[in-house]
Amino acid sequence: MSPIHSSLSGGMRQRAMIAMALSCQPRMLIADEPTTALDVTTQAQILDLIADLKEEFDMSVMLITHDLGVVAEVAEDVAVMYMGKVVERGDVYSVFENPKHPYTQALLESVPRIGGVRKKRLPAIKGMVPHPLARPSGCSFRTRCERYMPGVCDRAEPELTKQGESEVACFLYSSELADVR
Amino acid sequence: MSDNILEVNGLSMHFPLSGGAFRKSTSVVRAVEDVSFSVKRGETFGVVGESGSGKTTLGRCIMRILTPTAGTIQYTGKAQEPVELVTSDDSLLRTIWRDIRMVFQDPQSSLNPRLPVIEIVGQCLRKSEKLSGSALADRVSTLLTNVGLRPEILHRYPGAFSGGQRQRLGIARALATNPQLVVADEAVSALDVSIQAQTLNLMQDLQEQFELTYIFIAHDLAVVEHICDRVAVMYLGQIVELADKDELFNNPKHPYTRALLNAVPVPDPRKRPEKRARRGAGEIPSGGVRPDACQFAPRCPHAQDICRNSSPPEKQIDGVAVLCHFAGEI
Ligand SMILES: Nc1ncnc2c1ncn2[C@@H]1O[C@H](COP(=O)(O)OP(=O)(O)OP(=O)(O)O)[C@@H](O)[C@H]1O
Ligand SMILES: [Mg+2]
């Protein structure tokens, strides 16, 4: 790839990248962590730019990021992934205001928020993401899950199923389990 | 004993712009420019600002890795006489470096990949406390346990560790000498949210346990609001606002602080339209600003001629120090 001149600031470089990606009038733009290395001010400009271009060119955007604030800022629909699988999917309001999967819930609780409820400690997800070769049996998240149900979650992999406004892959919501209870 | 562990006065750090080999360079990068503040014992003092605002340079001056161009830095340890760091010689600094430690930005490059964990964390103890053999291993094992790492990794190399684990190694290394003041430079910035939450909790626990004072350098304002007691906002080498955490976040006074707060993405999709409207489309200008003007003027929505022609005075408003001609009026 042609080197983008190194005297450009991070924000200008990122804009040049977006301009290059848009030069052939795509129907869809995939942006992988487009603002992760940038300052909040520059990040806000890039996100506003992406939102404006999306309107103008009537294009779809797939934004890949670990920053929940960025998602809330630009996305209409959200898919939450854990160890290579989508564990929850829905419109941005459902996922942020009524998260169903314990992983989504824990993620949203572990980010500090400006002006949010002051907590002395942040609720952190225990442990770490397992090594990809040491994937737990059944639900991959069960080893870190606060709602782990022995004998259920370690037996089979939960499927993504419709729950109200969103879809979730978790045995807390599966009907067979409700029957067992 | 002074309540302030650190008092910084008129601190400047100018780097010469690399000129020709024979010409003496005349222009400088004013990485830190006439900065004054004090840090209270036991508090967490936040330093925020955009990339290039001079946060790391400030930290490196306090550590005396750099010798400031001007100003004074007075350190007062527990039950100790005040020490002037800027004029201290190397032998005095070596003892100070047990008390003041830094967690470096970018653990990737600050941890030597050719050294095992026991050396990375314990090297300083060989020199300062003449520890070796099993005494050293015991001490390093305790430090690892303190930061939530398993002592089994003592003889492993950092290359095999995750970002979060490396960050913990950096913290363990900083704590090795029982310091009083820890300068944490972007200590959690590279971590994903759940590891970040774990590390912040850990830092708070260690602060209580060891009565630490933190200078917490970060660009993530939500993290700063969570962990800090007071916050200094830096812009191009200067502190433009210094306030208690609550005051800064509820009632920001400098236009730059407001711009920063408006730019933070909030994990709440309903706030989106309101936030976009408040931001407007400000361009970041390139090119220099005269040193005797408000450095923020080219980006400021309130800038007048006076801002472009003279340096703003430091004003005190409701106990907050603000560097702005129109502080309190806008
Ligand atoms: N050794 C040096 N020689 C010359 N210029 C330097 C040196 N170190 C830093 N600078 C300059 O000083 C300014 C402040 O840099 P510094 O690293 O302190 O910023 P920062 O606030 O830590 O940024 P970041 O958020 O990216 O870490 C920058 O313009 C930088 O280019
Ligand atoms: Mg820095």
Side-chain angles (χ1 to χ4, degrees):
Chain A
M1 195 172 68
S2 77
I4 293 181
H5 201 274
S6 61
S7 72
L8 296 180
S9 73
M12 286 162 77
R13 230 172 302 163
Q14 207 56 272
R15 264 180 254 205
M17 292 288 286
I18 292 172
M20 280 162 59
L22 292 182
S23 60
C24 44
Q25 304 198 342
R27 307 283 287 279
M28 179 167 174
L29 175 73
I30 301 182
D32 188 358
E33 302 277 6
T35 59
T36 306
L38 303 177
D39 284 317
V40 280
T41 46
T42 317
Q43 165 169 287
Q45 290 176 353
I46 297 291
L47 295 179
D48 287 351
L49 174 72
I50 291 178
D52 289 343
L53 292 171
K54 193 179 93 185
E55 296 277 295
E56 193 172 328
F57 295 106
D58 195 19
M59 142 187 101
S60 308
V61 175
M62 176 170 161
L63 182 86
I64 303 167
T65 178
H66 71 267
D67 188 327
L68 296 166
V70 168
V71 176
E73 197 88 12
V74 293
E76 271 105 44
D77 293 295
V78 188
V80 181
M81 289 186 80
Y82 186 78
M83 290 197 81
K85 280 197 64 178
V86 173
V87 296
E88 179 156 1
R89 190 164 71 193
D91 69 90
V92 71
Y93 299 107
S94 307
V95 173
F96 275 73
E97 287 166 7
N98 190 12
K100 296 205 167 64
H101 198 285
Y103 179 57
T104 316
Q105 293 169 350
L107 271 186
L108 283 166
E109 276 177 18
S110 63
V111 273
R113 300 166 186 238
I114 289 177
V117 187
R118 288 280 163 71
K119 299 183 211 105
K120 182 81 182 52
R121 293 176 66 84
L122 290 167
I125 305 174
K126 65 184 180 204
M128 282 177 294
V129 180
H131 192 275
L133 296 178
R135 178 185 284 278
S137 63
C139 172
S140 312
F141 186 59
R142 70 172 168 84
T143 50
R144 305 174 69 194
C145 186
E146 296 293 337
R147 314 278 305 270
Y148 170 53
M149 301 172 287
V152 178
C153 304
D154 49 352
R155 292 271 173 80
E157 259 186 89
E159 298 286 325
L160 203 59
T161 51
K162 186 108 181 124
Q163 288 296 326
E165 295 294 299
S166 45
E167 291 169 280
V168 59
C170 175
F171 287 120
L172 282 173
Y173 303 93
S174 72
S175 48
E176 301 104 82
L177 183 72
D179 293 344
V180 175
R181 283 197 189 136
Chain B
M1 187 172 66
S2 167
D3 276 352
N4 292 333
I5 190 168
L6 201 72
E7 284 179 19
V8 175
N9 258 306
L11 189 77
S12 293
M13 183 72 228
H14 295 176
F15 296 108
L17 266 179
S18 43
F22 300 103
R23 249 179 309 132
K24 205 170 174 327
S25 62
T26 44
S27 50
V28 292
V29 179
R30 295 162 189 270
V32 173
E33 175 73 355
D34 193 14
V35 157
S36 303
F37 61 94
S38 49
V39 179
K40 295 180 193 147
R41 200 178 306 282
E43 79 170 337
T44 300
F45 184 88
V47 180
V48 300
E50 287 164 306
S51 183
S53 57
K55 307 182 294 294
T56 297
T57 307
L58 177 63
R60 290 163 65 92
C61 286
I62 293 167
M63 289 299 296
R64 281 294 271 101
I65 300 168
L66 292 169
T67 303
T69 326
T72 59
I73 305 170
Q74 192 183 72
Y75 166 74
T76 313
K78 221 173 286 174
Q80 287 170 13
E81 289 300 308
V83 183
E84 174 45 55
L85 298 182
V86 174
T87 51
S88 291
D89 58 15
D90 280 3
S91 67
L92 184 55
L93 283 176
R94 261 192 290 278
T95 66
I96 297 292
W97 280 333
R98 288 176 217 165
D99 281 6
I100 311 181
R101 306 277 287 175
M102 189 156 179
V103 179
F104 290 92
Q105 188 170 10
D106 188 13
Q108 215 83 347
S109 61
S110 66
L111 302 180
N112 186 340
R114 280 181 293 275
L115 290 182
V117 166
I118 182 165
E119 287 305 318
I120 286 176
V121 175
Q123 212 167 33
C124 50
L125 294 171
R126 284 191 193 280
K127 288 179 207 139
S128 69
E129 297 186 26
K130 309 269 180 293
L131 284 185
S132 61
S134 63
L136 183 68
D138 284 352
R139 183 66 172 274
V140 173
S141 301
T142 312
L143 285 162
L144 293 175
T145 317
N146 281 343
V147 299
L149 292 170
R150 283 190 302 271
E152 291 99 270
I153 65 171
L154 218 50
H155 299 287
R156 307 231 320 250
Y157 292 81
F161 297 143
S162 71
Q165 289 171 318
R166 268 192 221 124
Q167 204 55 268
R168 281 160 192 258
L169 276 183
I171 296 173
R173 176 172 62 179
L175 293 179
T177 53
N178 296 322
Q180 303 194 26
L181 175 65
V182 174
V183 180
D185 190 3
E186 305 279 7
V188 300
S189 310
L191 308 177
D192 73 48
V193 283
S194 58
I195 306 290
Q196 174 175 293
Q198 290 174 358
T199 311
L200 288 171
N201 289 341
L202 169 74
M203 287 183 70
Q204 284 177 311
D205 293 345
L206 295 170
Q207 180 169 42
E208 274 177 29
Q209 198 177 342
F210 301 109
E211 298 176 345
L212 295 171
T213 307
Y214 287 130
I215 295 180
F216 191 90
I217 300 172
H219 66 268
D220 185 330
L221 289 140
V223 168
V224 165
E225 190 196 26
H226 174 75
I227 200 167
C228 295
D229 300 303
R230 289 190 304 143
V231 184
V233 181
M234 284 189 82
Y235 186 73
L236 292 181
Q238 296 176 309
I239 293 180
V240 296
E241 181 161 356
L242 199 169
D244 281 347
K245 181 241 311 265
D246 287 326
E247 189 64 18
L248 189 92
F249 284 91
N250 295 334
N251 193 4
K253 294 185 175 54
H254 196 285
Y256 177 60
T257 313
R258 291 186 198 153
L260 274 185
L261 286 171
N262 281 339
V264 179
V266 181
D268 179 354
R270 301 228 184 252
K271 299 235 169 87
R272 190 189 298 176
E274 170 204 345
K275 290 201 65 212
R276 281 201 76 188
R278 238 186 305 159
R279 274 207 291 272
E283 252 321 284
I284 297 180
S286 54
V289 185
R290 332 180 349 193
D292 59 344
C294 171
Q295 300 298 300
F296 187 61
R299 291 170 67 182
C300 183
H302 308 284
Q304 309 282 328
D305 283 343
I306 183 175
C307 308
R308 290 180 276 268
N309 296 326
S310 66
S311 305
E314 187 186 301
K315 295 190 184 173
Q316 290 287 335
I317 295 159
D318 308 335
V320 176
V322 196
L323 208 61
C324 173
H325 282 292
F326 295 103
E329 298 167 38
I330 47 174

